[in-house]
Amino acid sequence: MSEPVLSVKDLSVVFHLRRGDFTAVNKISFDIMPGEVLGVVGESGAGKSMTGTAIMGLVDRPGEVSSTSITLNGDRIDGLDEESLRKIRGRRIGMVMQDPLTSLNPLFTVGEQLIETIRRHLPLNEKQARARAIELLADAGIPKPEDRIDAYPHQFSGGMRQRVVISLALAAEPELVIADEPTSALDVSVQAQIIKVLKRLCAERGVAVMLITHDMGVIAEAADRMIVMNKGEIVETGTVGDIIHRPKEPYTIKLIDAIPSIKEQNPRYAAAVARGDEGDAAVTDAPLVRAENLSMVFDLSPSLFSRLTGRNRKIVNAVNDVSFQIERGKTYGLVGESGSGKSTCARMMVGLLRPTDGNVLLEGTDIWNDKDAAAKRRSKIQMIFQDPYASLNPRWRVGDIIAEPMRQLGIARNNKEITEKVAYLLDRVRLDPVVMRKYPHEFSGGQRQRIAIARALSSEPEFIICDEPTSALDVSVQAQVLELMSQLQDEFGLTYLLISHNLAVVRQMADAVGVLHNGVLVESGPVEEIFSAPKADYTRMLLDAVPDIAKVA
Amino acid sequence: MLAFIFKRLGQSIIVMLAVALISFIMFRYVGDPVASMVSQEATIADQELLRERLGLNDPFYVQFFRFIMNALQGNFGISYRLQTPVADLIMSRLPATIELALTSATIALIVGIVAGVFTALNRKSPIAAGIMAFSLIGVSLPTFLIGIGLIYIFAVELQWLPSFGRGQVVDLGWWRTGFLTETGLRSLILPAITLSLFQMTLIMRLVRAEMLEVLRQDYIKFARARGLSKRAINFSHALKNTMVPVITIAGLQLGSIITGALITETVFQWPGIGSLFLSSVAVVDVPVMAAYLIFVGFVFVIVNLIVDILYYVVDPRLRVGGSSKGH
């Protein structure tokens, strides 16, 4: 057996904080073999990113790194001074970071950043470096690299930018690439392409990869071997197939169970089939919510002048003639890539955005009808947002956050009643009512999303629009929140519009699904029909692109 | 790019028209211009005659139009106090103010940016802490106090530098400069430092705050992960990204250096426009005040135009419409 490319022995990262020491990474050891893709998986706070950062020597104070040894192809790279480390970063270890939108400097062209990196590490002149940069971009699958090299990062889409980042990481022929959540910020279809590019380029060059991600599906797709981390320690190591099919540790088992698989049938559908009333959709009463021929046109023309004269007009059909209906007590899932118009739909349904054309009917009345309709809309329709860190006002107490809709809409008469209702709601979302005195920052992401759900419930709505309610959460937390949402649906008879790019979540939660592509509803129907026998090509492509642990042999 | 500049120029003209209107209203309606022109013995008939001759009985818009046409030709009327054309007065005082303002602005920008970058990069060092403490003085002490303090130390006690005036000047025909003589340069030091101190500390604190923010960004971490040198990261990647907000504030501040020169010029008896304005206010010399108002407005408009163009140069994302957006 050959020597490992990277060998880490007893790596620890400790943060010396005022409240005491916090151990982010605790004495972990692992090897990466030449040409191997090692997946590092774990939930947020598991210390996986910190491990990558520590190997690069990029841990900032007050963090302190200690290790018995870290060797890169036999050379010790721990405990080096800044200057020697800088010769390793980029040159011998390349890095790909999570968010391609922020990891490139917006003020320099892609070419400038590539050439700068190449010339820093390789003895090439400006012209040779430029030729190499073009070659790298071409390798990473960027069309017409000779033209695109002089473009600025904002002129590239997210997926293209991540290709640029990968070219940057590979610019100086490193021996190892550390990819930290390289696809988490991207759409599924783009995600699949990026994984493919990363895998191909590394295989061609014989580069070893350390692939850090929270997404088990990505690991299943790309990695050979994997490490499961929890609370700074390695829980389990093994080949990907072994761990996914035969996990040994309780933590790994829990983690894998929590992942909704796209291959799993909808539990409610399965139950309905078991009861033998498969075709009950036809007998339900009139739909609660109907979207009729919804359209939204944004005019992005550069100036009033061009708007008037029609020169340089730039009109974006964000949503184009979308119709669907949701029956009372059911969940409708809306899926699609970013830019497909999902969130615009949500904003029109909730009444934040007036549709250019078409109607939103709630119990048969248009929500834009008149003042009464608007008041009704406000109490009957609520929304849960994607990022529970941003959607709760950090300067308000939890109790006030939840009570706000009641106060605004005059649902409760006095403070005593409000307090009682808030306590009741907190209890319903499985939080202790005493937390109403606390502030949002004292809660974890999952708890915050529960608070957001309690706030949505406080106006006693019938219809809740959930815009990516779990995409900012860890898988195990996601499972809990989804479970809670299903329970509340049964308890309160709620109707959901679930917007998500995560197809597995939609399959698990929804009764019916609509697939949006460039603002057009390409397919709509019962969830099992669409997932097991998609008709539209786009739906099929979307389903195929999903990295899924069930694909591992 | 050209279209963008033309658009901004068009907006500048609208702003200048508004300034001119305010200036005109002041000129025309603050006090009675005729009363301040004629002698006390003039009869009411004489005054009416003068009023007719000056066109003060014409409709408002005709007078405003005439005012603008005159202003465009550099004709701002005649100073009540000195009985010389206002334009000549301003032209004779302008070089002093401009030289003072430019020197101050240069000092403020260079020292401010260098100190700001230094304090951001060496956050914990005692020197940075010292600079930060000193900057508080610059922000909080009023300009005249700093000026008097500097005069006391360097002119009275140490007797290194002159305490007032502009020193010897060299007449270049259209411009009287103090840059070319030793006394001129020596006289410039104290007022320039006094005037620059506030902007300097402001720019420094701004650069520091922006720099700290930028250094936290992912692209800086990624630049480090690419093994770039510290110099390249700090001065090329980080500094350029701090420049957009710094240009905004610095631009506005440099405009106010001209207006701020008022106090400094008084403290140092600097023969510039600011002191001219102050002495005109004392005797309600309205034509001079009106011209000063237009001048200050003009300076701000020009500075903002330059700022807008600089944005365009620094940040490619703002080059709207000019570039192809590809996917």
Side-chain angles (χ1 to χ4, degrees):
Chain A
M1 199 158 173
S2 57
E3 283 294 299
V5 174
L6 182 78
S7 175
V8 176
K9 295 230 156 41
D10 298 324
L11 173 71
S12 295
V13 182
V14 178
F15 283 84
H16 302 291
L17 303 172
R18 228 172 292 163
R19 283 170 283 140
D21 289 358
F22 168 71
T23 309
V25 178
N26 195 4
K27 294 213 165 187
I28 63 166
S29 306
F30 62 91
D31 291 341
I32 303 179
M33 293 296 158
E36 184 184 46
V37 179
L38 177 76
V40 178
V41 77
E43 298 185 272
S44 47
K48 36 187 211 309
S49 286
M50 200 44 77
T51 306
T53 314
I55 293 169
M56 297 287 282
L58 285 173
V59 175
D60 285 318
R61 277 155 55 90
E64 197 186 304
V65 182
S66 61
S67 56
T68 311
S69 73
I70 301 175
T71 52
L72 182 66
N73 277 332
D75 304 326
R76 286 283 295 258
I77 57 165
D78 51 334
L80 293 177
D81 61 85
E82 257 315 282
E83 196 40 50
S84 331
L85 269 174
R86 239 176 259 136
K87 296 215 173 84
I88 289 168
R89 293 181 200 141
R91 178 74 189 87
R92 300 187 61 189
I93 308 180
M95 194 165 185
V96 178
M97 289 178 17
Q98 173 168 9
D99 193 348
L101 303 183
T102 57
S103 51
L104 294 171
N105 191 331
L107 303 187
F108 293 88
T109 64
V110 163
E112 280 166 354
Q113 300 188 49
L114 269 163
I115 291 167
E116 181 186 32
T117 315
I118 294 167
R119 296 202 61 191
R120 163 89 187 155
H121 297 297
L122 301 176
L124 298 176
N125 64 28
E126 186 78 21
K127 222 177 133 196
Q128 292 165 317
R130 192 180 158 87
R132 179 166 168 76
I134 291 174
E135 209 176 288
L136 281 164
L137 290 175
D139 280 351
I142 289 178
K144 286 194 272 170
E146 322 68 59
D147 301 337
R148 304 293 282 152
I149 190 166
D150 293 318
Y152 287 94
H154 71 272
Q155 294 165 317
F156 289 86
S157 66
M160 283 297 157
R161 271 192 238 190
Q162 197 64 311
R163 287 168 196 263
V164 172
V165 172
I166 291 174
S167 327
L168 272 165
L170 293 171
E173 300 284 348
E175 295 144 49
L176 172 73
V177 169
I178 297 178
D180 190 354
E181 304 272 7
T183 59
S184 306
L186 304 170
D187 276 327
V188 266
S189 58
V190 181
Q191 200 173 346
Q193 294 165 12
I194 294 295
I195 294 174
K196 228 174 265 168
V197 167
L198 186 65
K199 253 192 113 166
R200 175 174 58 82
L201 291 180
C202 293
E204 279 170 12
R205 290 165 167 76
V207 180
V209 181
M210 177 173 164
L211 179 63
I212 300 167
T213 179
H214 69 277
D215 190 342
M216 202 75 101
V218 170
I219 299 258
E221 200 97 325
D224 308 312
R225 219 154 48 84
M226 69 190 275
I227 292 176
V228 182
M229 283 187 77
N230 183 32
K231 294 186 182 145
E233 296 183 16
I234 293 181
V235 180
E236 198 167 349
T237 318
T239 64
V240 171
D242 270 351
I243 291 192
I244 286 176
H245 295 300
R246 292 170 290 281
K248 290 188 201 75
E249 298 297 320
Y251 177 77
T252 321
I253 295 170
K254 202 185 100 210
L255 195 66
I256 290 175
D257 278 350
I259 303 167
S261 171
I262 194 167
K263 296 283 180 285
E264 243 166 64
Q265 276 202 346
N266 185 300
R268 277 187 280 178
Y269 174 79
V273 171
R275 281 202 310 275
D277 51 5
E278 196 178 338
D280 78 331
V283 291
T284 45
D285 49 354
L288 178 73
V289 191
R290 280 167 75 119
E292 282 180 348
N293 309 96
L294 277 185
S295 291
M296 187 68 220
V297 175
F298 291 114
D299 195 341
L300 299 179
S301 304
S303 66
L304 186 67
F305 178 73
S306 56
R307 237 175 247 207
L308 291 175
T309 59
R311 262 187 68 229
N312 292 326
R313 278 209 79 161
K314 228 170 118 187
I315 289 173
V316 176
N317 277 309
V319 173
N320 202 349
D321 198 20
V322 167
S323 305
F324 57 88
Q325 56 184 42
I326 314 175
E327 270 115 44
R328 199 181 285 277
K330 300 282 179 178
T331 302
Y332 187 82
L334 206 51
V335 299
E337 297 177 271
S338 45
S340 61
K342 305 189 296 286
S343 288
T344 308
C345 266
R347 293 175 62 190
M348 286 191 285
M349 301 287 288
V350 84
L352 286 171
L353 205 60
R354 189 167 200 144
T356 323
D357 209 3
N359 305 306
V360 178
L361 302 180
L362 178 71
E363 291 178 322
T365 27
D366 190 336
I367 61 166
W368 286 103
N369 223 359
D370 50 27
K371 268 216 174 99
D372 289 345
K376 186 176 160 195
R377 170 191 95 209
R378 281 191 200 103
S379 66
K380 295 288 181 201
I381 307 179
Q382 285 292 332
M383 193 156 178
I384 301 170
F385 296 90
Q386 172 169 15
D387 187 353
Y389 293 87
S391 67
L392 302 176
N393 187 336
R395 287 182 180 77
W396 281 29
R397 290 181 197 278
V398 166
D400 291 323
I401 291 174
I402 297 175
E404 193 189 13
M406 290 186 225
R407 293 202 172 111
Q408 282 296 316
L409 299 164
I411 289 170
R413 277 182 303 280
N414 53 44
N415 281 334
K416 192 164 161 274
E417 199 180 334
I418 287 177
T419 315
E420 276 168 15
K421 281 206 160 162
V422 169
Y424 169 75
L425 287 168
L426 281 169
D427 187 53
R428 301 293 0 126
V429 297
R430 322 307 186 239
L431 285 171
D432 189 341
V434 296
V435 304
M436 70 172 81
R437 309 283 312 154
K438 293 190 177 180
Y439 288 94
H441 71 261
E442 297 171 66
F443 297 89
S444 69
Q447 288 172 324
R448 283 185 212 210
Q449 202 59 308
R450 284 161 195 265
I451 294 168
I453 293 173
R455 172 175 62 184
L457 290 175
S458 107
S459 73
E460 297 166 5
E462 292 182 19
F463 178 44
I464 297 185
I465 295 168
C466 316
D467 191 356
E468 305 270 10
T470 58
S471 60
L473 305 174
D474 276 328
V475 267
S476 62
V477 180
Q478 165 174 304
Q480 292 164 14
V481 170
L482 293 177
E483 173 75 26
L484 175 70
M485 283 173 58
S486 302
Q487 287 170 4
L488 292 172
Q489 182 164 40
D490 294 340
E491 273 174 55
F492 292 91
L494 296 170
T495 306
Y496 289 137
L497 173 66
L498 176 67
I499 291 171
S500 181
H501 68 273
N502 189 330
L503 297 167
V505 166
V506 171
R507 183 167 197 176
Q508 187 193 326
M509 295 288 291
D511 299 290
V513 188
V515 182
L516 269 178
H517 179 45
N518 292 338
V520 179
L521 198 64
V522 293
E523 197 163 0
S524 177
V527 64
E528 281 310 316
E529 242 170 59
I530 297 216
F531 276 80
S532 49
K535 288 188 203 74
D537 290 340
Y538 179 72
T539 316
R540 223 168 292 139
M541 191 277 288
L542 215 53
L543 288 172
D544 283 343
V546 177
D548 195 79
I549 55 168
K551 287 183 189 168
V552 172
Chain B
M1 179 79 193
L2 263 180
F4 166 82
I5 292 176
F6 276 121
K7 203 170 147 189
R8 286 284 181 276
L9 268 177
Q11 289 166 352
S12 306
I13 289 172
I14 294 171
V15 173
M16 278 320 292
L17 279 177
V19 172
L21 182 65
I22 295 169
S23 166
F24 166 72
I25 289 172
M26 190 173 88
F27 177 71
R28 178 66 187 77
Y29 297 102
V30 174
D32 184 357
V34 172
S36 33
M37 278 178 189
V38 295
S39 61
Q40 280 175 340
E41 291 92 61
T43 62
I44 296 199
D46 286 342
Q47 289 190 20
E48 259 322 302
L49 200 68
L50 184 63
R51 213 175 276 279
E52 191 61 39
R53 216 178 67 211
L54 289 174
L56 293 179
N57 290 333
D58 290 342
F60 175 83
Y61 58 89
V62 175
Q63 290 188 50
F64 182 48
F65 181 72
R66 198 184 296 133
F67 177 82
I68 288 177
M69 291 321 284
N70 283 336
L72 281 180
Q73 290 159 24
N75 181 2
F76 292 96
I78 290 174
S79 162
Y80 298 161
R81 180 171 59 107
L82 301 165
Q83 297 300 323
T84 46
V86 174
D88 292 354
L89 261 180
I90 286 189
M91 279 318 290
S92 72
R93 298 292 200 107
L94 196 60
T97 295
I98 290 201
E99 284 182 2
L100 177 62
L102 280 183
T103 314
S104 304
T106 316
I107 295 176
L109 274 175
I110 293 176
V111 179
I113 290 178
V114 170
V117 171
F118 177 81
T119 47
L121 293 182
N122 307 286
R123 216 146 47 103
K124 296 269 164 65
S125 90
I127 302 174
I131 295 177
M132 288 308 290
F134 165 78
S135 78
L136 273 182
I137 300 175
V139 172
S140 52
L141 279 188
T143 317
F144 69 88
L145 204 68
I146 293 171
I148 292 170
L150 288 178
I151 290 177
Y152 178 74
I153 297 171
F154 293 101
V156 180
E157 288 295 320
L158 297 171
Q159 306 216 333
W160 288 352
L161 297 165
S163 66
F164 70 92
R166 217 186 153 200
Q168 272 181 308
V169 291
V170 176
D171 200 335
L172 300 176
W174 52 278
W175 189 274
R176 281 153 32 112
T177 176
F179 282 154
L180 298 175
T181 62
E182 198 205 323
T183 53
L185 286 174
R186 279 160 53 91
S187 317
L188 188 60
I189 296 175
L190 286 185
I193 289 177
T194 308
L195 187 55
S196 68
L197 211 57
F198 180 77
Q199 342 288 344
M200 185 200 297
T201 45
L202 198 81
I203 290 172
M204 183 194 113
R205 293 187 146 252
L206 186 74
V207 168
R208 175 178 180 273
E210 283 299 324
M211 191 83 177
L212 287 176
E213 183 65 40
V214 168
L215 287 174
R216 272 200 294 272
Q217 299 295 315
D218 278 353
Y219 52 79
I220 297 298
K221 192 180 169 197
F222 188 55
R224 287 174 66 198
R226 283 187 277 145
L228 300 184
S229 68
K230 215 171 185 162
R231 233 182 107 89
I233 292 172
N234 291 339
F235 291 97
S236 161
H237 283 269
L239 190 59
K240 198 171 176 194
N241 274 286
T242 62
M243 279 301 125
V244 168
V246 172
I247 288 171
T248 317
I249 299 295
L252 289 174
Q253 285 301 319
L254 296 186
S256 67
I257 273 189
I258 301 268
T259 44
L262 231 141
I263 295 167
T264 312
E265 287 182 4
T266 315
V267 171
F268 288 94
Q269 296 176 33
W270 189 262
I273 289 193
S275 52
L276 173 71
F277 177 70
L278 267 193
S279 45
S280 305
V281 168
V283 296
V284 202
D285 193 345
V286 175
V288 177
M289 286 154 68
Y292 181 76
L293 186 68
I294 291 185
F295 168 71
V296 169
F298 185 67
V299 168
F300 270 91
V301 163
I302 292 291
V303 166
N304 276 311
L305 186 67
I306 294 172
V307 164
D308 280 341
I309 293 170
L310 279 181
Y311 279 165
Y312 198 91
V313 173
V314 168
D315 196 337
R317 285 168 297 183
L318 300 174
R319 292 171 204 166
V320 275
S323 54
S324 63
K325 186 141 172 105
H327 278 284

